[in-house]
């Protein structure tokens, strides 16, 4: 008797829940994103909610370095969100473990997202084994920031920034002034992903790459970095400087030229009291191929999501708003069809928009972090002269080969 | 009333007291510990951390870890880091404790203020030391240069032969207050009349320190050293903030290495191996600590 009552009660509850769902109650999407200065996800999910009353967004913001780790752990314990932001070289890690929804069929029916509209770099990183597993929200890349006032003071032409490694070396050398505590150049050789991110373009313009580390081009690139450090044109502290740190030195005029990305522009605009400009990343020699690094994030929908349609609508909304990318968030568009109206810092925009076309995707490989680590170790080993560039890179290549073989 | 008393004396009541404590320990200490040990013998992928059933690798992971080219450096760095941190934390902390024992005006206040450094989160301490240690515009280099002690800048965190020492310096600074407070408590427990009697017998200051202070402080020192080893082996934030184990692994220590393998390159089994080995060391030290405490209570 008691059991029957219990079952009846349960039946009522189930019925009530079903009716509840049948009415136009909003669907709630769990979205995980990075806590960024630009507040990209906060702003756009808020706007999306305002336009889509049938969908609520439950947004969780996570510290920069922990988003992927948290999402992987959540997926492993069946508590993954519907949508998560993923750093582009890590999409393959998620996709290869069968955690993300294949977005191909959704895109095929979409009026907003068209696969052929994406630039090749962002598309490569969002794709794993020919299937599209994430939607890249934008792109960023790195270029050469320089202090034009210092160029003038040193008798250099600020309208002719260095184009090749030789010119970069000569100019940086001229701008270096130990008495004034000033270095000519700064790159980031920190033992994190940022170090790999900054080094690979130098290797790529010389003919090397992450899977061709023992290639003479990669060796020349590392030897070039080494020469700059040995001659104190670059501070020894670049071994511990992330990109934000080296740009702080650039703003404080302790560094005349620095390599970094468009995310720095708002702060630079606000704080730098000098004539700063941006130039294309120098290539090895005249005629060498241009190369740059491709950064930025994508959003993937987890396979476990109960609301894939709604989740995809959110991603469509992100793409539809790409015209706002640059002026509001300092991100370049990832689709060719978008035009940025009245871009802020138009000269810098032109440089970055051109540079991003030469941006190489990192990977894709589900083992990217294990490939990136030996590269960081090789860079630091050579720069601190624990081994010469050739030996350090050969050792890194051995590690990368092992990883790629697995 | 009588019922309450009977209840309080009953085995059931004892059980009620014991079960939550043991349950807590099992859930929040024993389980993670065992889970970690189990992972060190398995082939673990970041994506199956949700299960306990995974392919067994036996001691293969242990062999892998020790075969890594950086294993030797990390081991030596860890020993150096722990020993040097303890030696300086303890000697400076002890000296300060003796100093504040002199009971000059404001001594208690000043001693309390020393704790300010210790209560700061290690990550904040790391950020501050990062500025102090900066090679080109750091406070420390500025001071040393003004005193004409150095010619050019010293790259405290990016010179591979110095980076580990910089972390040790920051860690010593962070640990001194804790050592000082614990040792002060120990010193306060030594009755004054023992010293007075010794003075009457003609024992000098050094003699009194050697034959009274040191032997009576032995249990406290043992406890402080054990806690120091445990805290030092837990010190992760300073490495993360100052050098990330670099340059080129020159300042990497076991706890940071374990984290790097687990959460940077997702080689979780290898990370678990290092964590398990460290746990063994900490357990041994904890045993010594418990024994030291027992002596202290008896004394």
């Amino acid at each position: 008797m008691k059991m029957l009552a219990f079952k009846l009660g349960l039946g009522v509850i189930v019925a009530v829940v079903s009716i509840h769902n049948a009415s136009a109650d909003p669907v709630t999407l769990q979205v995980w994103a990075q806590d960024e200065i630009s507040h990209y996800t906060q702003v756009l999910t808020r706007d999306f909610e305002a336009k889509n009353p049938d969908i609520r967004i439950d947004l969780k913001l996570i510290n920069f370095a922990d988003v992927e780790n948290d999402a992987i752990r959540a997926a492993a314990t069946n508590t993954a969100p519907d949508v998560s932001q993923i750093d582009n070289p890590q999409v393959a890690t998620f996709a290869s473990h069968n955690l993300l929804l294949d977005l191909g069929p959704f895109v095929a029916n979409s009026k907003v997202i068209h696969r052929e509209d994406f630039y090749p770099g962002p598309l490569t990183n969002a794709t794993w084994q020919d299937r599209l597993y994430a939607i890249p929200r934008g792109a960023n890349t790195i270029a050469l920031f320089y202090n034009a006032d210092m160029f003038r003071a040193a008798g250099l032409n600020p309208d002719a920034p260095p184009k090749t490694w030789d010119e970069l070396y000569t100019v940086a050398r001229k701008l270096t002034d130990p008495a004034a505590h000033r270095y000519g150049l700064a790159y980031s050789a920190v033992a994190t992903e940022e170090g790999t991110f900054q080094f690979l373009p130098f290797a790529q313009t010389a003919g090397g790459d992450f899977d061709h580390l023992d290639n003479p081009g990669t060796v020349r690139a590392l030897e070039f970095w080494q020469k700059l450090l040995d001659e104190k044109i670059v501070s020894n502290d670049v071994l511990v400087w992330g990109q934000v740190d080296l740009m702080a030195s650039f703003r404080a005029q302790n560094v005349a030229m620095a390599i970094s990305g468009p995310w720095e522009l708002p702060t630079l605009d606000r704080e730098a009291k000098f004539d700063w400009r941006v130039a294309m990343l120098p290539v090895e020699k005249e005629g060498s191929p241009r190369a740059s690094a491709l950064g930025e994030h994508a959003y993937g929908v987890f396979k476990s999501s109960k609301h894939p349609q709604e989740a995809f609508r959110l991603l469509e909304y992100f793409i539809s708003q790409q015209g706002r990318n640059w002026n509001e968030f300092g991100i370049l568009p990832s689709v060719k069809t978008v035009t940025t109206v009245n871009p802020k810092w138009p000269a810098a925009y032109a440089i970055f928009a051109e540079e991003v076309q030469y941006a190489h995707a990192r990977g894709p490989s589900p083992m990217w972090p294990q490939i990136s680590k030996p590269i960081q170790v090789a860079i630091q080993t050579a720069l601190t002269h624990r081994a010469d560039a050739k030996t350090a890179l050969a050792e890194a290549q051995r590690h990368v080969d092992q990883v790629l073989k697995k | 009333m009588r019922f309450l008393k009977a209840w309080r004396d009953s085995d059931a009541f004892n059980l009620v007291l014991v079960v939550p404590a043991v349950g807590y320990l099992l859930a929040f200490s024993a389980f993670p510990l065992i889970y970690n040990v189990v992972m060190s013998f398995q082939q673990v992928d970041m994506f199956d951390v949700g299960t306990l059933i995974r392919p067994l690798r036996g001691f293969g992971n242990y062999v892998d870890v020790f075969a890594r080219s950086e294993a030797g450096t990390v081991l030596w760095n860890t020993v150096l880091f722990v020993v040097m941190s303890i030696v300086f934390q303890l000697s400076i902390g002890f000296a300060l404790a003796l100093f504040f024992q002199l009971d000059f005006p404001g001594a208690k206040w000043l001693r309390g203020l020393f704790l300010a450094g210790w209560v700061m989160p290690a990550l904040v301490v790391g950020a501050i030391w990062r500025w102090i240690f900066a090679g080109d515009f750091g406070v420390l280099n500025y001071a040393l240069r003004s005193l004409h002690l150095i010619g050019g800048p010293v790259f405290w965190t990016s010179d591979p032969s110095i980076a580990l020492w910089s972390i040790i310096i920051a860690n010593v600074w962070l640990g001194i207050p804790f050592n000082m407070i614990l040792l002060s408590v120990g010193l306060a427990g030594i009755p004054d009349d023992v010293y007075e009697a010794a003075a009457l017998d003609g024992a000098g200051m050094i003699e009194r320190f050697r034959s009274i202070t040191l032997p009576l402080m032995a249990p406290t020192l043992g406890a402080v050293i054990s806690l120091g080893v445990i805290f030092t082996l837990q010190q992760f934030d300073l490495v993360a903030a100052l050098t990330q184990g670099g340059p080129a692994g020159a300042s990497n220590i076991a706890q940071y290495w374990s984290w790097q393998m687990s959460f940077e390159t997702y080689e979780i089994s290898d990370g678990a191996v290092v964590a398990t080995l460290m746990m063994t060391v900490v357990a041994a030290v904890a045993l010594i600590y418990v024994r030291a405490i027992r002596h202290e209570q008896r004394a």
Side-chain angles (χ1 to χ4, degrees):
Chain A
M1 190 57 206
K2 248 185 192 164
M3 202 57 205
L4 185 70
F6 176 70
K7 278 184 182 163
L8 274 175
L10 206 64
V12 171
I13 292 168
V14 169
V16 167
V17 170
S18 330
I19 293 166
H20 208 59
N21 268 348
S23 70
D25 223 33
V27 162
T28 301
L29 289 179
Q30 306 280 338
V31 177
W32 288 8
Q34 247 185 42
D35 192 6
E36 307 165 273
I37 316 168
S38 72
H39 303 304
Y40 177 93
T41 319
Q42 286 112 299
V43 172
L44 287 192
T45 50
R46 203 181 51 215
D47 294 358
F48 175 78
E49 276 185 317
K51 291 201 174 72
N52 297 274
D54 58 326
I55 302 175
R56 301 286 88 197
I57 305 287
D58 182 3
L59 180 63
K60 178 174 152 191
L61 293 178
I62 301 169
N63 182 21
F64 176 82
D66 296 329
V67 184
E68 287 84 11
N69 281 344
D70 282 12
I72 290 172
R73 267 199 296 266
T77 51
N78 296 322
T79 50
D82 295 287
V83 175
S84 176
Q85 184 177 349
I86 305 171
D87 193 7
N88 66 30
Q90 298 238 46
V91 171
T93 314
F94 284 82
S96 67
H97 280 84
N98 211 13
L99 295 176
L100 297 178
L101 199 63
D102 175 5
L103 297 175
F106 292 86
V107 171
N109 294 320
S110 172
K111 291 191 182 67
V112 182
I113 303 180
H114 308 287
R115 209 166 161 159
E116 63 279 6
D117 289 349
F118 287 103
Y119 286 112
L123 191 63
T124 306
N125 267 148
T127 309
W128 174 245
Q129 294 180 341
D130 295 328
R131 287 167 198 264
L132 185 69
Y133 284 105
I135 300 296
R137 69 174 187 190
N140 71 41
T141 188
I142 48 177
L144 185 71
F145 287 82
Y146 66 99
N147 186 325
D149 289 346
M150 286 186 183
F151 268 58
R152 282 188 211 98
L156 295 159
N157 178 4
D159 297 320
K163 290 192 194 62
T164 61
W165 289 0
D166 280 345
E167 289 177 28
L168 182 64
Y169 170 78
T170 320
V171 169
R173 212 193 146 88
K174 253 191 197 148
L175 292 166
T176 304
D177 183 0
H181 300 290
R182 194 171 78 205
Y183 291 96
L185 178 70
Y187 50 72
S188 170
V190 70
T192 67
E193 185 63 31
E194 289 185 63
T196 312
F197 185 69
Q198 290 234 332
F199 176 70
L200 285 180
F202 281 83
Q204 285 153 352
T205 180
D209 209 341
F210 72 89
D211 50 358
H212 291 93
L213 294 171
D214 49 2
N215 167 297
T218 317
V219 176
R220 284 199 303 277
L222 190 47
E223 280 168 352
F224 179 58
W225 271 28
Q226 210 174 24
K227 180 165 85 167
L228 292 163
L229 192 80
D230 286 349
E231 298 188 15
K232 299 192 165 52
I233 291 169
V234 162
S235 167
N236 204 69
D237 269 358
V238 298
L239 289 160
V240 287
W241 280 355
Q243 299 175 110
V244 170
D245 302 307
L246 63 90
M247 283 307 280
S249 288
F250 178 74
R251 287 199 304 274
Q253 307 206 58
N254 292 320
V255 163
M257 298 187 285
I259 296 167
S260 194
W263 58 85
E264 297 287 353
L265 290 167
T267 325
L268 196 58
D269 189 36
R270 207 169 46 241
E271 289 181 10
K273 304 273 176 279
F274 54 88
D275 178 10
W276 57 266
R277 302 186 193 178
V278 185
M280 298 288 283
L281 218 51
V283 293
E284 188 190 11
K285 293 188 275 277
E286 236 182 285
S288 300
R290 289 206 171 278
S292 185
L294 179 76
E296 253 314 306
H297 293 242
Y299 291 85
V301 178
F302 279 87
K303 250 191 173 158
S304 53
S305 169
K306 293 194 176 61
H307 310 291
Q309 297 292 346
E310 288 81 0
F312 188 71
R313 271 169 60 197
L314 176 67
L315 304 194
E316 282 185 324
Y317 182 73
F318 287 167
I319 293 298
S320 73
Q321 300 299 304
Q322 283 216 344
R324 299 163 66 184
N325 263 13
W326 179 265
N327 282 352
E328 283 183 49
F329 311 110
I331 305 172
L332 290 157
S334 57
V335 289
K336 299 171 211 159
T337 45
V338 164
T339 39
T340 305
V341 186
N342 287 329
K344 284 191 204 167
W345 316 291
Y349 179 76
I351 295 288
F352 281 114
E354 189 186 345
E355 189 84 270
V356 78
Q357 296 174 36
Y358 308 109
H360 291 239
R362 285 162 284 162
S365 164
M367 316 283 240
W368 181 256
Q370 289 182 47
I371 292 171
S372 181
K373 194 94 226 159
I375 300 176
Q376 298 156 25
V377 172
I379 296 169
Q380 294 213 326
T381 306
L383 292 183
T384 54
H385 289 284
R386 306 212 133 189
D388 59 50
K390 206 173 165 201
T391 318
L393 285 167
E395 171 72 8
Q397 181 68 49
R398 211 173 51 76
H399 281 285
V400 171
D401 283 343
Q402 268 173 7
V403 172
L404 290 176
K405 229 176 26 217
K406 267 187 211 165
Chain B
M1 240 357 241
R2 184 174 298 164
F3 171 74
L4 268 182
K5 192 176 179 318
W7 159 243
R8 224 173 52 200
D9 291 340
S10 71
D11 286 345
F13 182 67
N14 288 342
L15 211 62
V16 166
L17 291 181
V18 168
V19 165
V22 171
Y24 180 90
L25 281 175
L26 282 178
F28 295 107
S29 295
F31 177 71
L33 278 176
I34 294 165
Y35 188 76
N36 185 62
V37 175
V38 168
M39 282 203 301
S40 75
F41 289 105
Q42 290 177 326
Q43 187 181 328
V44 188
D45 187 321
M46 187 69 179
F47 294 85
D48 50 35
V49 288
T51 166
L52 262 177
I53 317 298
R54 285 175 287 241
L56 207 65
R57 281 216 63 202
F59 280 96
N61 294 326
Y62 287 77
V63 175
D64 278 358
V65 165
F66 283 101
R68 280 167 181 259
S69 53
E70 66 268 34
T73 314
V74 172
L75 190 68
W76 172 239
N77 282 352
T78 311
V79 171
L80 208 62
F81 178 67
V82 171
V83 172
M84 287 300 149
S85 294
I86 303 266
V87 164
F88 287 105
Q89 280 176 2
L90 193 75
S91 46
I92 301 173
F94 202 7
L96 281 171
L98 289 167
F99 174 69
F100 281 114
Q101 203 65 17
L102 295 177
D103 215 17
F104 48 89
K108 286 206 175 72
W109 270 92
L110 286 171
R111 190 166 61 188
L113 282 176
F114 263 75
L115 274 179
W118 191 64
V119 297
M120 268 199 282
L123 215 54
V124 175
V125 172
I128 293 169
W129 279 97
R130 209 176 137 85
W131 289 328
I132 295 176
F133 281 140
D136 299 304
F137 43 82
V139 180
L140 184 57
N141 275 348
Y142 179 77
L144 293 176
R145 232 185 311 209
S146 307
L147 296 168
H148 299 289
L149 290 173
I150 52 170
V154 176
F155 290 97
W156 294 98
T157 53
S158 61
D159 182 333
S161 55
I162 301 176
L164 180 66
W165 290 98
S166 303
I167 303 175
I168 293 174
I169 291 172
N171 191 44
V172 166
W173 177 85
L174 190 63
I176 285 173
F178 177 74
N179 277 264
M180 182 197 67
I181 291 292
L182 281 196
L183 293 168
S184 291
V185 173
L187 285 175
I190 303 175
D192 284 341
D193 45 7
V194 183
Y195 285 111
E196 281 160 18
L200 284 177
D201 288 343
M205 224 165 75
I206 295 166
E207 181 63 22
R208 269 177 289 168
F209 177 77
R210 215 176 50 78
S211 56
I212 301 174
T213 312
L214 268 188
L216 286 177
M217 283 293 283
T220 314
L221 284 171
V224 172
I225 291 173
S226 313
L227 281 176
V229 172
I230 293 171
F231 285 157
T232 307
L233 281 176
Q234 282 177 350
Q235 185 48 265
F236 168 86
D237 316 47
L238 282 179
V239 188
L242 288 175
T243 67
Q244 293 95 41
S251 65
N252 210 356
I253 49 177
Q255 54 268 50
Y256 195 75
W257 195 37
S258 171
W259 174 83
Q260 279 184 321
M261 291 194 283
S262 297
F263 298 114
E264 272 198 340
T265 53
Y266 304 144
E267 294 158 291
I268 296 181
S269 327
D270 291 359
V273 166
V274 177
T276 303
L277 294 174
M278 290 181 66
M279 245 151 50
T280 325
V281 175
V282 169
V285 173
L287 207 71
I288 299 171
Y289 170 67
V290 171
R291 288 182 63 101
I293 286 279
R294 205 178 291 158
H295 275 291
E296 199 175 18
Q297 279 164 350
R298 226 177 277 154

